[in-house]
Amino acid sequence: PSCNARIAAMTAATEIDDRYDPLAIEPALAQQWYDDRRWDLDDTTRGRERFYALTMFPYPSGDLHMGHAEIFSIHDALVRHLRMTGHRVLNPFGWDAFGLPAENAARKRGADPARWTLDNIEEQAASIRRLGYSFDWSTRLETCDPAYYRWTQWIFLELLRAGLVDRKDGLVNWCPGCETVLANEQVIDGRCERSDDVVERKPLTQWYFRITEYAQELIDDLESIDWPERVKTMQRNWIGRSEGAEITFPVAGPGQDEVVVYTTRPDTIFGATYFVFAPEHPLVAARMGDDEEFAAYVEEVSRRSDIERQSTMGEGRRDKRGLRLNFDMVNPFTGEQIPAFAADYVLMDYGTGAIMAVPVGDQRDFEFARAHDLDIRVIIHPTDDDGELLEPLDADTMSEAYVGPGVMVNSGDYDGLEWDEAKARIIDDVEDRGWGVGTVNYRLRDWLISRQRSWGAPIPMIHCDTCGPCPVPADQLPVQLPDDLDFQVNGSPLAMHPTWKHVDCPECGRAAVRDTDTMDTFVDSSWYFLRYLAPNDDTRAWPIDKANAWLPIDQYTGGVEHAILHLLYARFFVKALRDRGHLAVDEPFQALLNQGQVILDGAAMSKSRGNLVTPTEIVDEYGADTMRGTILFASAPEDDIDWADMSPSGMYKWLSRVWRLNVELGADEVEDAGSDADVAALRRAVHERIIAASSDYDNRKYNTALAKMMEITNAIMEADRAGVAGAPIREALDTVLLLLAPICPFITDVLWERRHGDSVHDQDWPVGDATLLVAETVDLVVQVNGKVRGEVTVAADADQAAVEAAAGADDNVARFLADGTVRRVIHVPGRLVNFVVA
RNA sequence: GCGAGCGUGGCGGAAUUGGCAGACGCGCUGGGUUUAGGUCCCAGUGGCCCCAACGGGCCGUGGGAGUUCAAGUCUCCCCGCUCGCACCA
C-alpha cells in the first residue's frame, strides 16, 4: 500500500500537503513499515553482495537514551546506503537482557525481573520503530530467553570439552555492592565497572574460561582487522605480552628449597642485591610458620584494598612497606647470599609471585632499597642512542633507577656487552646450566565467569559428593531459572531457593546439587551475533555454513567503553569455537566504528545529574527525521556531540524547505523552462554534489554529505529565481531525496512516492555524470609571490602562455608584476597561476 | 611518568591531501513579504586599515623556528586539552 494513502487514512487531517508535518506522517509510516516487515531480509530482498552490519545490542534499562539514538542513526544511515548501492544487508537486532539492574528492581520494588526486562524491551522496541531504524525484526532475540541461554549453556559445555573451562581457587575480586565476584576486566582502578564500589579480595573457588590459552593469537590477529588503532593498543596493553626468563634462586642454608622468579631483565642479574616475595607466597608461609610479626603483616596486607595497595596518589608515589624474612636467597650468578623480604609491591598473580630485586635498574626496587637501606649495585654504564658512553652511575647519589640502554659492568663475563646482547647471552647460559628458561609472559588472566547472581544463565554443572562437578547432559538443557525466586533474601536468591538446586547426579544418580552461580552477562554477549543467523532454530546454536558465509561481521558499531571487555571476550569465543569445529573464521568483527558520546554542557548525561535529554522529547517536538539529521550533521561519527551546541530547529527548517520545494516546484505537470546556461549550471551543481556526497557516504562523513544536499537546495532556489522550471528542477529534487533517504527515511519516502509512485528506499543510489562537470572555461586564481592578487577566466584547455597572458592583463596583478622581474611562473591547471617576482 | 589523539570565526564544523582558509549550518546585523507570529525570502557577517564609492592593503588556523613558488596541511622545539595505560618485575 502507498505510504501516502496509509498516512491519509491514519491521520484525520486531510490536508498535509502544504506544510511539513512530521508528527502526522512519521508514526503512520513507522507503523506501516513494522506491519509490512519492511526491512526483513528474505528471498525478495534486492542486492547481491553480502554485508553483515551489526550494532552493539542494548541493555534494556529503560527507554532509549541519546547515546542509542546516535549509534542507531549512524548505523541506519550506513545500512540504508548499503542497500541502495546493491548490498544484501543483514541488519539484526536484539537485547542483552540478563543483568543486575533487573534484580535490583526486583529487590527494591518487588518487580519480577523477567517482567521488568520485557516491559523495558517493549518500550525500547516501540521507540526504535518510531525512529525509523530499519532493523530486521525476524532476527529479534533476548539473551534472557531460555531458547537463547540454552545455547549459552551449550557453549559452556563445549568449552568444557575443549579443556577451556577451569574450576580453581584463588583470590578473586569481590564487589560488595553487587554481591558477586568480578572478572579482572570489570575492575577499573580498583573499583567495580558497574557500581563503582571499591573491590575487595576474597579467596573463592570459581569457574574460569581459559582465555589465556589464546593470548598470543589475540595479539597477533589484531593485525588483520580494521579497528581504530587506539582500541588495538588497549587490547595489546591489556594482554600485556613481555619477554624474559624464569630463573631459579636457591634458598640459602640447609634444605633443597628453590624459588623461581620471572624477570624481563635477566641482563641485570648481577645487580640483584635482595629478593622479594608476594606476602601470599606459599613458601613464605611455610618458612615463617606462626611468626607473630609475619602473621600481623599478612593480616594488615590482606585488609588493604587493591586501591590502597596500588595507589599512585600523593607525593611519595608508592608506599614501600615490607617485612624482612628469616632466611636469605642465593644469587646463582654471583653466589652471594641476598636478604629476602615480603612486600606487597610484588603481586602473587603476576609472574611467579617472587622477584629478584635490582635497585639500580628498577624504580620500585630502587625505592624499596632506599627505604630499607639495601645495597644498590651499579651493573650498567649508560650510553646514549648512538651507543656513546655517558656519565657513569653513582649508587650513592643517584635519585632514581636507570632504565635506559648501556654497557654491562661489574657483571663477570658479561662486562662490556651491550645490555640487550647480555640479555640474550644470559638467557642462553641460564638454560645451559639448567637454572631456568627464556619465557614469554602475559598480564592477561583467565576470565572468571561465575556470578553469585540470579538473573543470568545458570552454569550447567552439578556437584556430586562422589563424582565431583559433572556437566548437565545436553538433552537436559536448558537449565532453566525458576520463576518463583525470592529477591528479598540475603545472598543469592538462586542459591537460597528451597528446591531448585536439588537434583540427582547425572553420573551416579545419588543426590547432588546444581551449581547455583550464573554466568557473567559478557558470556551472553560473546556470541549473540552468531545466534542472529537463526534465532529460532531449536536444534542447534547456529548453522555453520550460514555463519561461515556471513562472518566476519563487515561493520560493527558501538561505544569505545567495550574496547576491552566485550570485544576481547567475543574474539576469544570465535577462536575457541573455531577450534572446536563450529566456525571457520578467526575474528568476529572485521571493521569497528566507535561512535562518540552525546554529552550536555561538557558533561555526560545521566538521570542522577538531572541533565537528561531524551530522544523521545526531541522526536515529540520535531520528528525523527529532524533528530537523525541533527545528530549526523553535528560532526563525524567518531566525535562527541555536545547537545547544548545543537539546534534541531535548523535541521527542521531545512527539511521544511525540502518539503516546500517539492510541493511547489516538483509537480510532474510543470513545463520545462529556463535558459540553457541556467539549466546547465543547475545540472552541474547537482551532479557535482552527487559525486561528492557519494564519496562522503563511503567515508561515513554524513555531516559533509548533508552539507552537499543543502547546497543542492540552495542551487534549486537560485535556478528557480533565474526562471528554470520543470525537468531540471525535478532531477535536482529527486537527487536530494535519494541522497537524503538513508538519513531521513520518512520525509524522503513520502515525497518520492508522490512523484514516482514507488518507494525511495527501493531505488538505486544516484550516479553523478562527470561529463556534465566539464566546463568550457575555468576560473584561475592569480598569485604574485604566493599572494592572491586577482582572478581570471580562461579556456579550460588554455596552455601556459595563454594563461600567463590573461593573468598578466589583470590590472591589480600588473601592478604587482611591475615591482620586479618575473623569474618563474607556476601554473597548476584548473587551479592557479603564480608569478615569482624578484 | 609512558603511549595515542587533538588545538581553525561568537558556536558546531569544512578545506580534492601542499594550491583562493572559514564550505554547510547555527547565531548575529540589516532589508523585504505576510503579520498574531518564534513564518518565509534577500543581503551581510574573521580582525585591523585605506577609499565618497568601485575597489584595495596588512594580519590571521595554540606559540616559535624551518622546508617550499606556495603551509591549516610537511619537519623540529614549546604550550594547552582529551583519552588510554601505570607497583606487571
Side-chain angles (χ1 to χ4, degrees):
Chain A
S2 144
C3 69
N4 282 285
R6 176 65 176 261
I7 292 160
M10 287 193 61
T11 50
T14 48
E15 270 312 320
I16 56 169
D17 276 26
D18 300 337
R19 213 176 95 252
Y20 174 49
D21 185 358
L23 303 187
I25 64 173
E26 290 181 354
L29 199 41
Q31 186 62 44
Q32 186 191 350
W33 286 341
Y34 186 62
D35 293 346
D36 293 351
R37 296 210 161 264
R38 182 70 168 82
W39 316 114
D40 285 11
L41 189 66
D42 57 33
D43 295 341
T44 67
T45 308
R46 289 150 28 97
R48 299 164 304 280
E49 203 182 329
R50 276 200 193 95
F51 195 103
Y52 190 165
L54 184 66
T55 171
M56 290 179 186
F57 66 165
Y59 180 80
S61 55
D63 199 1
L64 298 185
H65 52 68
M66 286 306 287
H68 293 121
E70 190 195 13
I71 180 175
F72 298 153
S73 296
I74 292 164
H75 174 83
D76 203 47
L78 180 95
V79 164
R80 288 177 179 272
H81 172 245
L82 283 165
R83 288 201 194 102
M84 291 175 79
T85 52
H87 295 82
R88 189 176 161 75
V89 185
L90 178 59
N91 185 33
F93 200 81
W95 280 271
D96 187 16
F98 270 140
L100 205 42
E103 262 183 85
N104 290 340
R107 192 156 37 176
K108 273 190 224 142
R109 300 196 282 279
D112 171 29
R115 188 74 265 148
W116 180 89
T117 303
L118 293 176
D119 285 349
N120 284 339
I121 285 175
E122 285 314 319
E123 188 180 15
Q124 290 195 349
S127 294
I128 286 164
R129 293 196 289 269
R130 174 65 186 83
L131 293 173
Y133 300 126
S134 62
F135 293 112
D136 178 346
W137 288 109
S138 73
T139 63
R140 173 173 170 166
L141 61 78
E142 291 103 23
T143 59
C144 64
D145 184 345
Y148 182 90
Y149 70 74
R150 165 185 183 174
W151 300 107
T152 307
Q153 292 170 337
W154 173 82
I155 291 171
F156 177 97
L157 298 176
E158 281 295 294
L159 297 184
L160 186 70
R161 280 181 207 108
L164 291 171
V165 177
D166 250 358
R167 182 166 174 80
K168 56 186 181 188
D169 305 330
L171 267 188
V172 301
N173 303 301
W174 173 265
C175 173
C178 301
E179 292 178 26
T180 183
V181 299
L182 301 172
N184 271 14
E185 289 77 11
Q186 287 153 3
V187 181
I188 312 290
D189 290 334
R191 290 172 180 276
C192 173
E193 169 255 343
R194 259 209 71 258
S195 68
D196 214 35
D197 287 305
V198 172
V199 169
E200 299 166 359
R201 293 289 212 163
K202 272 195 178 185
L204 284 173
T205 307
Q206 299 283 297
W207 292 103
Y208 293 81
F209 284 161
R210 301 179 63 187
I211 189 172
T212 51
E213 292 281 306
Y214 288 88
Q216 189 60 49
E217 198 186 340
L218 287 166
I219 291 178
D220 292 342
D221 285 353
L222 288 171
E223 300 290 335
S224 70
I225 52 181
D226 178 19
W227 286 18
E229 202 49 51
R230 67 173 177 145
V231 176
K232 292 193 194 182
T233 304
M234 284 165 74
Q235 293 221 346
R236 275 191 208 103
N237 288 345
W238 184 261
I239 297 166
R241 182 184 203 274
S242 67
E243 289 177 26
E246 286 184 353
I247 302 175
T248 303
F249 280 60
V251 177
Q256 303 294 311
D257 284 345
E258 295 177 334
V259 180
V260 176
V261 301
Y262 173 73
T263 176
T264 57
R265 295 293 305 275
D267 49 301
T268 63
I269 194 162
F270 284 83
T273 51
Y274 67 102
F275 196 98
V276 187
F277 291 87
E280 307 88 353
H281 197 285
L283 186 114
V284 176
R287 287 237 163 203
M288 297 302 288
D290 43 12
D291 179 282
E292 269 181 36
E293 199 187 353
F294 174 70
Y297 177 71
V298 169
E299 160 66 17
E300 186 205 333
V301 165
S302 68
R303 267 206 319 271
R304 290 185 214 164
S305 67
D306 265 25
I307 290 239
E308 292 171 278
R309 240 178 116 155
Q310 298 182 5
S311 174
T312 60
M313 308 303 162
E315 272 299 299
R317 270 179 66 90
R318 295 162 183 99
D319 173 13
K320 287 291 178 292
R321 281 175 287 188
L323 183 74
R324 177 75 165 96
L325 301 176
N326 61 4
F327 61 95
D328 290 344
M329 303 296 293
V330 177
N331 183 328
F333 273 79
T334 63
E336 291 171 299
Q337 285 202 14
I338 55 176
F341 291 83
D344 64 355
Y345 83 90
V346 172
L347 309 173
M348 193 58 224
D349 61 2
Y350 183 79
T352 62
I355 62 156
M356 64 177 208
V358 183
V360 75
D362 182 287
Q363 185 60 25
R364 298 152 297 177
D365 298 344
F366 181 86
E367 288 168 19
F368 190 89
R370 277 279 143 86
H372 297 263
D373 203 21
L374 296 162
D375 228 10
I376 296 173
R377 185 173 306 163
V378 174
I379 43 81
I380 189 165
H381 189 130
T383 54
D384 63 18
D385 291 340
D386 301 320
E388 296 296 317
L389 289 177
L390 301 170
E391 281 292 298
L393 299 171
D394 180 345
D396 295 331
T397 58
M398 61 194 295
S399 58
E400 59 183 17
Y402 177 76
V403 295
V407 172
M408 306 318 297
V409 296
N410 295 323
S411 296
D413 297 343
Y414 307 94
D415 281 356
L417 292 177
E418 299 284 344
W419 69 277
D420 45 354
E421 204 179 324
K423 176 175 175 178
R425 287 269 295 274
I426 288 179
I427 291 174
D428 283 349
D429 293 345
V430 161
E431 290 182 349
D432 287 349
R433 295 174 206 178
W435 292 346
V437 63
T439 54
V440 172
N441 209 346
Y442 301 93
R443 203 176 77 109
L444 183 68
R445 303 290 78 173
D446 280 335
W447 175 12
L448 198 173
I449 58 132
S450 321
R451 296 291 178 274
Q452 290 70 50
R453 305 304 331 165
S454 304
W455 187 235
I459 292 173
M461 297 295 290
I462 292 166
H463 299 276
C464 170
D465 286 343
T466 313
C467 310
C470 302
V472 172
D475 61 3
Q476 291 175 25
L477 297 183
V479 176
Q480 233 172 300
L481 291 169
D483 55 15
D484 56 348
L485 289 169
D486 178 1
F487 287 91
Q488 309 308 322
V489 297
N490 286 321
S492 161
L494 192 56
M496 307 294 273
H497 190 276
T499 56
W500 183 80
K501 66 184 171 192
H502 297 293
V503 288
D504 294 337
C505 171
E507 304 279 331
C508 67
R510 277 189 268 259
V513 289
R514 290 190 184 284
D515 199 301
T516 57
D517 284 352
T518 57
M519 284 185 254
D520 184 0
T521 57
F522 281 98
V523 176
D524 308 329
S525 56
S526 290
W527 72 284
Y528 73 109
F529 45 91
L530 292 164
R531 186 63 182 170
Y532 277 145
L533 299 166
N536 301 312
D537 193 332
D538 58 6
T539 64
R540 56 193 169 172
W542 60 84
I544 294 178
D545 52 344
K546 199 172 176 189
N548 291 336
W550 281 98
L551 262 67
I553 285 148
D554 297 281
Q555 181 70 53
Y556 196 23
T557 310
V560 73
E561 67 273 17
H562 291 112
I564 294 175
L565 290 153
H566 163 58
L567 293 173
L568 191 68
Y569 295 148
R571 294 181 64 216
F572 158 63
F573 259 47
V574 162
K575 291 173 190 304
L577 292 164
R578 173 203 61 195
D579 290 345
R580 195 68 197 154
H582 299 303
L583 278 176
V585 295
D586 297 320
E587 286 286 333
F589 315 120
Q590 187 56 41
L592 176 69
L593 171 66
N594 288 132
Q595 90 285 358
Q597 283 192 300
V598 184
I599 58 179
L600 191 67
D601 287 318
M605 289 191 207
S606 73
K607 248 182 229 170
S608 51
R609 261 185 247 263
N611 65 342
L612 218 54
V613 177
T614 65
T616 304
E617 64 193 84
I618 310 295
V619 170
D620 286 348
E621 187 171 4
Y622 296 102
D625 280 339
T626 293
M627 192 200 66
R628 297 169 55 133
T630 303
I631 288 171
L632 292 180
F633 188 54
S635 63
E638 294 84 358
D639 296 339
D640 289 349
I641 295 175
D642 194 329
W643 195 258
D645 297 331
M646 294 303 113
S647 75
S649 64
M651 182 56 55
Y652 182 82
K653 224 167 85 175
W654 181 67
L655 290 178
S656 301
R657 175 179 285 181
V658 169
W659 183 276
R660 204 169 45 247
L661 291 174
N662 273 277
V663 170
E664 290 172 3
L665 308 178
D668 281 333
E669 51 279 11
V670 176
E671 308 241 339
D672 293 0
S675 74
D676 288 353
D678 290 330
V679 169
L682 175 61
R683 296 202 70 207
R684 192 180 313 125
V686 168
H687 283 262
E688 202 180 299
R689 300 316 188 282
I690 293 174
I691 291 166
S694 299
S695 134
D696 288 341
Y697 262 97
D698 291 341
N699 296 315
R700 297 187 306 242
K701 299 193 69 177
Y702 305 109
N703 53 339
T704 49
L706 277 162
K708 304 300 187 301
M709 298 173 217
M710 292 171 179
E711 285 170 4
I712 297 179
T713 55
N714 289 347
I716 290 171
M717 293 199 293
E718 197 179 325
D720 175 50
R721 282 198 297 277
V724 177
I729 297 282
R730 285 193 293 271
E731 181 194 29
L733 291 169
D734 283 348
T735 300
V736 171
L737 297 181
L738 291 167
L739 295 177
L740 184 58
I743 297 171
C744 300
F746 293 108
I747 183 175
T748 52
D749 209 16
V750 172
L751 291 173
W752 179 273
E753 192 197 87
R754 289 179 177 200
R755 199 151 50 238
H756 299 278
D758 54 0
S759 171
V760 73
H761 302 298
D762 294 330
Q763 306 305 311
D764 288 333
W765 192 251
V767 178
D769 183 350
T771 64
L772 293 176
L773 272 48
V774 181
E776 287 177 14
T777 60
V778 291
D779 296 333
L780 290 187
V781 167
V782 184
Q783 299 182 337
V784 178
N785 286 340
K787 286 192 189 297
V788 180
R789 298 303 180 189
E791 195 178 84
V792 286
T793 304
V794 297
D797 57 355
D799 61 13
Q800 172 137 359
V803 167
E804 279 183 38
D810 181 281
D811 285 349
N812 198 44
V813 173
R815 217 157 52 86
F816 283 92
L817 290 183
D819 289 349
T821 319
V822 175
R823 302 286 182 195
R824 248 177 102 186
V825 182
I826 286 128
H827 175 216
V828 183
R831 290 206 164 278
L832 58 74
V833 56
N834 185 15
F835 293 91
V836 184
V837 172

